[in-house]
Short mmCIF file of all heavy atoms in Angstrom, two decimals:
data_model
loop_
_atom_site.label_atom_id
_atom_site.label_comp_id
_atom_site.label_asym_id
_atom_site.label_seq_id
_atom_site.Cartn_x
_atom_site.Cartn_y
_atom_site.Cartn_z
N ALA A 177 -8.09 7.68 7.00
CA ALA A 177 -9.13 8.72 7.02
C ALA A 177 -10.47 8.06 6.96
O ALA A 177 -11.39 8.41 7.70
CB ALA A 177 -8.93 9.68 5.91
N ASP A 187 -18.84 -0.23 6.31
CA ASP A 187 -19.43 0.78 5.51
C ASP A 187 -20.30 0.10 4.42
O ASP A 187 -19.77 -0.55 3.51
CB ASP A 187 -18.30 1.61 4.82
CG ASP A 187 -18.79 2.60 3.81
OD1 ASP A 187 -19.99 2.92 3.92
OD2 ASP A 187 -18.00 3.08 3.04
N ASN A 188 -21.62 0.18 4.60
CA ASN A 188 -22.57 -0.33 3.61
C ASN A 188 -22.32 -1.83 3.24
O ASN A 188 -22.22 -2.12 2.04
CB ASN A 188 -22.55 0.53 2.37
CG ASN A 188 -23.66 0.22 1.38
OD1 ASN A 188 -24.75 -0.12 1.82
ND2 ASN A 188 -23.40 0.43 0.14
N VAL A 189 -22.23 -2.69 4.18
CA VAL A 189 -21.87 -4.09 3.93
C VAL A 189 -23.09 -4.88 3.48
O VAL A 189 -24.14 -4.87 4.17
CB VAL A 189 -21.22 -4.69 5.17
CG1 VAL A 189 -21.10 -6.21 5.02
CG2 VAL A 189 -19.82 -4.09 5.46
N ARG A 192 -25.02 -11.74 0.29
CA ARG A 192 -26.06 -12.53 -0.27
C ARG A 192 -25.73 -13.99 -0.17
O ARG A 192 -24.55 -14.38 -0.42
CB ARG A 192 -26.24 -12.15 -1.77
CG ARG A 192 -27.06 -10.90 -1.99
CD ARG A 192 -27.14 -10.60 -3.45
NE ARG A 192 -27.29 -9.13 -3.57
CZ ARG A 192 -26.23 -8.31 -3.72
NH1 ARG A 192 -25.00 -8.76 -3.77
NH2 ARG A 192 -26.39 -7.02 -3.80
N ASP A 203 -23.88 -0.34 8.37
CA ASP A 203 -22.84 0.58 8.75
C ASP A 203 -22.60 0.44 10.24
O ASP A 203 -23.60 0.41 11.02
CB ASP A 203 -23.21 2.04 8.44
CG ASP A 203 -23.50 2.25 6.97
OD1 ASP A 203 -22.60 1.96 6.18
OD2 ASP A 203 -24.59 2.51 6.64
N LEU A 231 -14.30 -12.45 7.81
CA LEU A 231 -14.11 -12.97 6.40
C LEU A 231 -14.34 -14.44 6.30
O LEU A 231 -13.90 -15.06 5.30
CB LEU A 231 -12.76 -12.53 5.88
CG LEU A 231 -12.45 -11.06 5.83
CD1 LEU A 231 -11.08 -10.79 5.20
CD2 LEU A 231 -13.54 -10.30 4.99
N LEU A 232 -15.05 -15.09 7.23
CA LEU A 232 -15.50 -16.46 6.95
C LEU A 232 -16.54 -16.41 5.85
O LEU A 232 -16.62 -17.37 5.06
CB LEU A 232 -16.12 -17.06 8.25
CG LEU A 232 -15.21 -17.60 9.29
CD1 LEU A 232 -15.95 -18.08 10.49
CD2 LEU A 232 -14.35 -18.74 8.76
N LEU A 242 -10.30 -2.47 9.27
CA LEU A 242 -9.81 -2.89 10.64
C LEU A 242 -8.55 -2.17 10.95
O LEU A 242 -7.54 -2.21 10.16
CB LEU A 242 -9.56 -4.42 10.59
CG LEU A 242 -9.05 -5.04 11.89
CD1 LEU A 242 -9.98 -4.92 13.02
CD2 LEU A 242 -8.74 -6.49 11.67
N PRO A 277 -12.17 -32.18 18.73
CA PRO A 277 -12.50 -33.23 19.68
C PRO A 277 -11.32 -34.24 19.92
O PRO A 277 -11.29 -34.94 20.86
CB PRO A 277 -13.66 -33.89 18.92
CG PRO A 277 -13.49 -33.57 17.52
CD PRO A 277 -12.94 -32.19 17.52
N ASN A 284 -5.97 -27.77 22.40
CA ASN A 284 -6.94 -26.89 21.68
C ASN A 284 -6.44 -25.45 21.73
O ASN A 284 -6.53 -24.77 20.77
CB ASN A 284 -8.29 -27.02 22.31
CG ASN A 284 -9.23 -27.93 21.56
OD1 ASN A 284 -9.78 -27.56 20.55
ND2 ASN A 284 -9.41 -29.15 22.00
N GLU A 298 6.93 -24.62 24.36
CA GLU A 298 6.85 -24.32 25.79
C GLU A 298 6.05 -23.04 26.02
O GLU A 298 5.20 -22.98 26.93
CB GLU A 298 8.26 -24.16 26.36
CG GLU A 298 9.08 -25.38 26.42
CD GLU A 298 9.57 -25.87 25.09
OE1 GLU A 298 9.72 -25.00 24.12
OE2 GLU A 298 9.87 -27.05 24.96
N LEU A 307 -4.22 -19.26 30.38
CA LEU A 307 -5.54 -18.80 29.92
C LEU A 307 -6.59 -19.75 30.41
O LEU A 307 -7.71 -19.29 30.77
CB LEU A 307 -5.55 -18.85 28.39
CG LEU A 307 -5.00 -17.54 27.71
CD1 LEU A 307 -4.79 -17.73 26.21
CD2 LEU A 307 -5.89 -16.32 27.95
N ARG A 310 -7.36 -18.85 33.79
CA ARG A 310 -8.06 -17.59 33.80
C ARG A 310 -9.59 -17.75 33.59
O ARG A 310 -10.40 -17.11 34.18
CB ARG A 310 -7.51 -16.65 32.76
CG ARG A 310 -7.85 -15.25 32.89
CD ARG A 310 -7.05 -14.40 31.97
NE ARG A 310 -7.88 -13.35 31.38
CZ ARG A 310 -7.54 -12.71 30.25
NH1 ARG A 310 -6.44 -12.94 29.62
NH2 ARG A 310 -8.40 -11.81 29.81
N LEU A 313 -10.56 -23.05 34.35
CA LEU A 313 -10.49 -24.50 33.99
C LEU A 313 -9.09 -25.10 34.27
O LEU A 313 -8.59 -25.98 33.61
CB LEU A 313 -10.79 -24.67 32.46
CG LEU A 313 -12.26 -24.38 32.06
CD1 LEU A 313 -12.39 -24.40 30.63
CD2 LEU A 313 -13.20 -25.37 32.78
N GLY A 326 -20.94 -28.28 28.40
CA GLY A 326 -21.02 -27.21 27.35
C GLY A 326 -20.37 -25.89 27.83
O GLY A 326 -19.70 -25.26 27.03
N PRO A 342 -5.90 -11.52 20.22
CA PRO A 342 -6.69 -10.74 19.29
C PRO A 342 -6.89 -9.32 19.84
O PRO A 342 -6.82 -9.05 20.95
CB PRO A 342 -8.06 -11.46 19.27
CG PRO A 342 -8.12 -12.14 20.61
CD PRO A 342 -6.68 -12.47 20.97
N VAL A 344 -9.63 -7.63 18.66
CA VAL A 344 -11.09 -7.62 18.64
C VAL A 344 -11.60 -9.02 18.83
O VAL A 344 -11.08 -9.96 18.24
CB VAL A 344 -11.70 -7.02 17.32
CG1 VAL A 344 -13.17 -6.97 17.35
CG2 VAL A 344 -11.12 -5.64 17.06
N MET A 376 -15.07 -5.72 21.79
CA MET A 376 -15.81 -6.88 21.39
C MET A 376 -17.17 -6.65 20.87
O MET A 376 -17.85 -5.64 21.17
CB MET A 376 -15.85 -7.95 22.56
CG MET A 376 -16.12 -7.37 23.93
SD MET A 376 -15.43 -8.49 25.16
CE MET A 376 -16.98 -9.11 25.93
N GLU A 403 -31.64 0.30 14.86
CA GLU A 403 -31.48 1.28 15.94
C GLU A 403 -30.18 0.96 16.75
O GLU A 403 -29.93 -0.24 16.90
CB GLU A 403 -32.65 1.27 16.87
CG GLU A 403 -32.67 2.30 17.91
CD GLU A 403 -34.07 2.48 18.57
OE1 GLU A 403 -35.06 1.83 18.08
OE2 GLU A 403 -34.14 3.28 19.46
N PRO A 414 -36.83 2.39 23.31
CA PRO A 414 -36.48 2.44 21.85
C PRO A 414 -37.39 3.42 21.09
O PRO A 414 -38.52 3.67 21.46
CB PRO A 414 -36.80 0.98 21.41
CG PRO A 414 -37.75 0.38 22.41
CD PRO A 414 -37.45 1.11 23.65
#
Side-chain angles (χ1 to χ4, degrees):
Chain A
D187 176 19
N188 192 31
V189 169
R192 281 178 210 89
D203 301 300
L231 300 181
L232 280 174
L242 177 63
N284 261 281
E298 290 75 23
L307 279 167
R310 199 170 136 196
L313 294 172
V344 178
M376 43 205 248
E403 185 163 356

